[in-house]
Amino acid sequence: MHDADMDKDTPGLSKADRELIVVATSAANDCLYCVVAHGAVARIRARDPYIADQVAVDWRKAPLSPRMHAVLSVATRLAADPAAVTAADLDVLTGHGLTQDDVWDVGMITSFFALSNRLAHFAALVPNPEFYSMGRTVREQGRGRGPAR
C-alpha cells in the first residue's frame, strides 16, 4: 500500500507533495515518528531543507502553492475530522488541476497514514536518529545552490 501510494509522480501530485501530505496529516495526528521520518524524505524529494518543518508546524503558513494549500486543507481535515470532508472539498481539488486519481490518492495517503500514525503511537515508535539530519544540507540533496522555493 505504501509503495502504491507514495512511489508515483503525477502532474497533480509529485513524490515530494505526497510526502508533505504525510507530514501535515501526521502532525495533525501528533505522530512524531511519521513527522520526522517522512519529513526527512520530504526534504530530500522537495530539495528544500526547510519545507518539512514548516509544514509540520503550520502548513497554512508554509511557502506552498495554492494547489498544495488546498490539498493539505482537505487532507488534514480528513485526518482530524473525516466526517467534515464533503464533495465540495473534492471539487476544490479538481479545481486546482488534480485528476480523480490524484484526489483518490490524497484520500488514500491520508487514510493509510492515519492507520500508520495510530500504530506508531500504539507501538511507542521513536524516530531513528539519522532521520533528524537527513535532507538538511545542500550537498545531500545533490545541488550546488540553496534550497528550492
Side-chain angles (χ1 to χ4, degrees):
M1 180 72 78
H2 172 277
D3 294 351
D5 287 339
M6 303 302 290
D7 286 345
K8 57 182 160 178
D9 206 346
T10 65
L13 289 174
S14 69
K15 289 180 180 181
D17 294 338
R18 292 165 188 276
E19 292 295 339
L20 291 177
I21 293 169
V22 178
V23 172
T25 59
S26 295
N29 287 323
D30 298 317
C31 184
L32 177 66
Y33 177 82
C34 289
V35 168
V36 173
H38 289 275
V41 179
R43 287 189 297 272
I44 292 166
R45 288 190 169 172
R47 296 184 173 161
D48 183 337
Y50 311 111
I51 195 66
D53 295 335
Q54 294 167 325
V55 167
V57 171
D58 188 352
W59 60 267
R60 291 168 293 271
K61 295 177 184 168
L64 301 169
S65 68
R67 176 188 51 80
M68 272 309 290
H69 276 111
V71 166
L72 296 183
S73 178
V74 173
T76 56
R77 188 172 313 115
L78 179 60
D81 188 11
V85 177
T86 67
D89 293 310
L90 306 184
D91 290 343
V92 167
L93 297 181
T94 57
H96 279 278
L98 275 70
T99 66
Q100 289 298 320
D101 286 343
D102 291 332
V103 172
W104 183 255
D105 286 349
V106 170
M108 287 295 296
I109 293 164
T110 302
S111 300
F112 178 73
F113 282 95
L115 167 69
S116 179
N117 296 160
R118 283 149 183 81
L119 289 172
H121 281 295
F122 184 74
L125 295 180
V126 295
N128 301 355
E130 59 268 22
F131 286 144
Y132 287 97
S133 60
M134 288 173 57
R136 294 200 183 271
T137 64
V138 174
R139 181 175 173 198
E140 276 185 88
Q141 298 169 22
R143 295 167 46 101
R145 54 182 212 270
R149 287 287 174 167

